[in-house]
Amino acid sequence: MTTETSYALSRPAYVGQAHLVVTDLALVSSFYQSMLGLKVIEKAPSGEVLGVNGLPLLTLATDGKAKVAPRNAAGLFHTAFLMPNRTELARWLRHAAHMDVVLDGASDHLVSEAIYLSDPEGNGIEIYADRPHEVWKFHQDGQVEMATIRLDLQALYDSAPDDAWGGMADGTAIGHIHLQVGDIPLADAFYRDVLGLKLMARYPGASFFATGGYHHHIAANIWNSRGAGTRADGMTGLSEYTLRFNDKVALDNAVAALDRLEIESAKRDGGVFLKDPWGIGLTLSA
């Protein structure tokens, strides 16, 4: 069965992978395998790469010197795993319920249906499915209508087909990454003005950025982290992530903006590596 590429991934740029630093590699990896159904693609004593059908999505790395990040540090709010369709979201919910998942919440965002949980080290996770792009409502300024209303988990659970769950379905991806930052105007200046993402929505204390009319590929909030400074090296949580460009022109424009603004960057793994204003690593690649 061929999987249609999710709308999020067909835009000019999208999130490729996330890289987390953890203290207990075996514990965290087994959670992402058993609870989320990711598979190990690469394995080394200091880290593992997990993904779906050979596609790497999540790198977990450990280091004896890793310092546990305080809750109010800049870094990860959640990594959001996008299911290829609502049926797969329902199947995951049924699997998770049988595993006695502890949920942090579940919301209907109009554009999507989302379930929230945390890994054993407190890294936030969202599991979601988008509603069809045709039913999203856009404002005249191009921003998208989003809300946070209670998701009917029972109805979603009841809609799951009654079959064995074999892990994350082909086509699952990181649909977006949600960051904790210290300051929203600074986040806007970096993600919108430097990298060229469009501001798609604002909540109190949060901005949502995307390319190509998606609801958001990257979000940034100050709900726990107002005033946070730069992350310390080796801190647990999100050390870096990748932004992949389907559109080489958009990538060239972003790299040109870095050079113009004298933002330090380096060529790495066929892409350009830099850090955002809070020291979160970011690789831009085509």
Side-chain angles (χ1 to χ4, degrees):
M1 183 180 118
T2 55
T3 314
E4 195 181 333
T5 301
S6 291
Y7 184 78
L9 309 183
S10 64
R11 306 298 84 210
Y14 61 95
V15 176
Q17 301 180 39
H19 183 129
L20 302 180
V21 173
V22 299
T23 55
D24 189 331
L25 179 63
L27 176 72
V28 177
S29 177
S30 74
F31 176 87
Y32 282 99
Q33 291 175 61
S34 62
M35 188 62 80
L36 267 70
L38 299 181
K39 303 275 195 287
V40 177
I41 296 174
E42 286 174 39
K43 197 172 178 119
S46 63
E48 295 183 7
V49 179
L50 305 176
V52 174
N53 198 25
L55 176 72
L57 297 178
L58 186 67
T59 298
L60 301 173
T62 192
D63 173 357
K65 301 187 291 293
K67 294 179 285 293
V68 176
R71 183 169 153 70
N72 60 355
L76 185 70
F77 189 66
H78 58 238
T79 309
F81 293 91
L82 173 61
M83 300 296 193
N85 52 56
R86 188 175 193 264
T87 301
E88 288 303 331
L89 182 66
R91 291 182 73 208
W92 175 81
L93 175 61
R94 202 185 60 172
H95 155 77
H98 294 170
M99 299 275 294
D100 293 328
V101 66
V102 177
L103 296 181
D104 295 338
S107 298
D108 180 338
H109 293 301
L110 305 182
V111 292
S112 63
E113 294 174 286
I115 301 169
Y116 298 94
L117 63 158
S118 302
D119 76 14
E121 296 196 357
N123 295 298
I125 298 168
E126 175 182 335
I127 309 283
Y128 77 114
D130 281 328
R131 287 210 166 91
H133 181 249
E134 305 75 72
V135 304
W136 300 0
K137 291 185 171 60
F138 288 88
H139 301 293
Q140 279 179 317
D141 62 3
Q143 292 192 15
V144 66
E145 181 75 34
M146 286 168 65
T148 299
I149 41 194
R150 199 178 70 82
L151 181 61
D152 186 341
L153 280 171
Q154 190 61 51
L156 182 63
Y157 179 97
D158 291 343
S159 74
D162 191 12
D163 55 8
W165 191 74
M168 285 282 194
D170 190 14
T172 301
I174 295 180
H176 66 267
I177 203 147
H178 195 143
L179 306 172
Q180 294 196 157
V181 301
D183 180 71
I184 292 301
L186 189 56
D188 292 351
F190 181 77
Y191 284 100
R192 178 188 63 197
D193 305 339
V194 176
L195 293 187
L197 278 65
K198 186 168 181 338
L199 183 67
M200 292 305 294
R202 276 196 194 284
Y203 278 23
S207 287
F208 297 80
F209 309 97
T211 65
Y214 191 52
H215 51 75
H216 63 298
H217 288 106
I218 296 172
N221 78 57
I222 54 167
W223 300 331
N224 303 318
S225 54
R226 182 189 298 274
T230 309
R231 285 174 61 79
D233 283 342
M235 201 178 246
T236 58
L238 181 71
S239 67
E240 60 179 276
Y241 62 101
T242 58
L243 198 58
R244 295 195 64 89
F245 287 80
N246 288 318
D247 175 4
K248 178 116 172 39
V249 176
L251 173 59
D252 292 343
N253 289 344
V255 172
L258 298 178
D259 294 343
R260 193 169 62 245
L261 296 163
E262 298 181 357
I263 293 171
E264 196 178 321
S265 65
K267 290 199 163 36
R268 194 170 103 183
D269 302 333
V272 175
F273 177 78
L274 68 150
K275 289 189 171 180
D276 80 1
W278 296 277
I280 302 166
L282 177 57
T283 299
L284 313 178
S285 66

